[in-house]
Amino acid sequence: MNRLAPLVLSAAALSACGGASAAPEHAAQQAEAPATAVQVVPASTTTLESAIEISGNLAPQARVGIAPKLSGTLDRVMVNLGDRVAVGTVVATLDRGEIDAQVDAAAAAVNVAKASLEAAEAALVNAGREVERARNLFEGGALSRSQLDSAETQNRAATAQRDLSRATVVQAEAALRRARELQRDATLRSPIPGVVVERNFDAGSLVGPGEKPVVAVADNRTLKLEAGVSELEAGRLKPGMAASLTVAALPGRSFEGRITALAPEIDLRNRHFRIEVRVANDDASLLGGMYSVARVVTNRAEQVVAVPREAVFTRQGRRMVYVVAGDKVSAVPVTEGIADAVRVQIVSGVSAGQQVVADARRQVAEGVKIRPVVVN
């Protein structure tokens, strides 16, 4: 028992000495732990634009399908796809043989009616003279009352015949006008200037109302983009605002347009407001149907402090950023202003030149040593 006690004490002493030497070694390892690399960016002074992007297909400002008003056989089609036409340009004609005959018949009927009117008017003049002579003879006692009545009756009949002849002339002239309208309708003209974008029939085809148009003409001097915008976006837009349009088919180019219409009520089917943006197409480089994106600037701020949108996060209902000071970070509340697709304005909380964590979606423990890595 007495011999074992020194051995136990010796072992305890050795153990205590070993533990004392291990503790400083562990603390040294902790002190030498590498700092966490964190990407940071400086808050910079810049110009920001808040914008809304509207996308859709371009369409000509006017597109008209030219179809006949009456059934018939196409005699000629004068235009082809891509041809330019002016207002009144003849694009096709129907066979007018039967229509021309109707016009001739109607014109002859007018001549007959006018001749009948002339005869009726001459008869009325003669009947009027007979009545006047009969009255003079009756007053002189040389003519009976019945003979005077007969002369007056003939005068009234002549008057009625004259009126009937006049009505017949009016009726015949109306028929002639209608026949000539049909004759004009047999010639199909373009009501607008533009380009032929559709041709559906050739000469010899039987066409009529309610069918496909013979040709279609589009006025592509101005194109329009029609799309829908949400309630929030509609509140920031109004007719007259400028828009910059780009099309996928023409990379590297932009076209200046303008909002020309904004529907005054919402479409209940999709909760969108219809909007129309028009753009001049002076060089005819834009084509109907091209997919386009219109960018409308709704707000602009110059010389403001901005940080990446990903640098701002929400904590307990407050917007914050991680500000870097040396090798430590701290969360700082900020007030935001306008934003574009990449950056957001910081109205208060951060000054220009201060380093902030570039992407706050990666959580960073405050107070932990970091190694800032500046990114552009």
Side-chain angles (χ1 to χ4, degrees):
M1 194 75 181
N2 292 337
R3 284 182 300 204
L4 289 174
L7 293 175
V8 171
L9 291 173
S10 176
L14 288 173
S15 176
C17 291
S21 62
E25 183 179 351
H26 180 68
Q29 290 176 352
Q30 271 192 333
E32 294 173 1
T36 303
V38 176
Q39 291 185 337
V40 300
V41 295
S44 59
T45 301
T46 186
T47 297
L48 287 182
E49 289 182 343
S50 178
I52 294 174
E53 291 190 346
I54 306 163
S55 60
N57 293 323
L58 293 175
Q61 66 173 344
R63 188 182 191 277
V64 178
I66 305 173
K69 296 181 180 180
L70 61 155
S71 297
T73 302
L74 278 175
D75 182 39
R76 296 177 62 192
V77 179
M78 284 81 159
V79 294
N80 293 303
L81 288 176
D83 287 352
R84 285 207 161 269
V85 297
V87 176
T89 298
V90 177
V91 297
T93 58
L94 297 176
D95 183 356
R96 297 195 331 184
E98 183 178 349
I99 298 173
D100 289 345
Q102 292 176 2
V103 171
D104 293 341
V110 169
N111 292 333
V112 170
K114 287 182 176 179
S116 298
L117 176 59
E118 289 178 3
E121 287 176 340
L124 178 59
V125 170
N126 186 60
R129 290 172 181 169
E130 287 297 323
V131 168
E132 186 64 28
R133 187 173 65 86
R135 285 174 182 167
N136 292 333
L137 292 174
F138 174 76
E139 292 174 357
L143 196 68
S144 66
R145 181 67 189 184
S146 61
Q147 289 174 317
L148 175 61
D149 292 342
S150 176
E152 290 177 342
T153 299
Q154 290 178 358
N155 185 65
R156 287 194 295 272
T159 301
Q161 185 61 44
R162 189 273 315 270
D163 293 342
L164 178 60
S165 296
R166 284 179 175 175
T168 302
V169 169
V170 172
Q171 186 178 41
E173 289 176 340
L176 177 59
R177 286 195 299 272
R178 176 56 182 158
R180 285 175 174 165
E181 285 178 3
L182 293 176
Q183 193 177 50
R184 286 193 295 270
D185 290 343
T187 301
L188 279 61
R189 301 177 183 272
S190 176
I192 62 172
V195 179
V196 177
V197 294
E198 188 178 330
R199 172 176 164 159
N200 297 310
F201 297 99
D202 294 320
S205 301
L206 183 64
V207 295
E211 300 179 2
K212 285 184 178 180
V214 177
V215 298
V217 175
D219 184 356
N220 61 359
R221 294 172 300 174
T222 300
L223 296 179
K224 59 184 178 180
L225 186 156
E226 295 178 321
V229 295
S230 68
E231 296 180 51
L232 294 177
E233 292 173 330
R236 298 163 58 193
L237 300 172
K238 61 181 179 180
M241 295 180 71
S244 177
L245 285 81
T246 57
V247 292
L250 300 172
R253 292 190 62 183
S254 63
F255 303 85
E256 295 305 314
R258 195 165 297 277
I259 296 176
T260 55
L262 180 62
E265 65 178 13
I266 200 168
D267 186 340
L268 295 178
R269 295 172 298 178
N270 53 23
R271 303 298 302 173
H272 279 177
F273 289 88
R274 298 294 299 174
I275 190 171
E276 180 181 288
V277 179
R278 295 205 176 196
V279 56
N281 189 28
D282 298 331
D283 61 355
S285 58
L286 297 174
L287 303 176
M290 282 184 170
Y291 181 77
S292 176
V293 177
R295 184 175 183 270
V296 182
V297 176
T298 57
N299 201 353
R300 178 184 173 90
E302 298 182 358
Q303 298 299 305
V304 295
V305 178
V307 299
R309 294 174 70 103
E310 295 80 7
V312 186
F313 64 97
T314 302
R315 176 184 291 177
Q316 296 178 350
R318 302 183 69 183
R319 299 291 279 169
M320 312 187 82
V321 299
Y322 287 121
V323 174
V324 178
D327 57 0
K328 298 290 191 298
V329 300
S330 58
V332 175
V334 295
T335 303
E336 296 172 277
I338 69 171
D340 60 16
V342 178
R343 297 162 299 177
V344 59
Q345 176 189 2
I346 302 300
V347 178
S348 63
V350 174
S351 301
Q354 283 189 285
Q355 301 283 350
V356 300
V357 175
D359 191 349
R361 292 174 296 184
R362 177 186 175 185
Q363 293 185 352
V364 181
E366 297 182 56
V368 174
K369 185 178 180 180
I370 66 165
R371 178 168 58 86
V373 178
V374 179
V375 295
N376 295 325

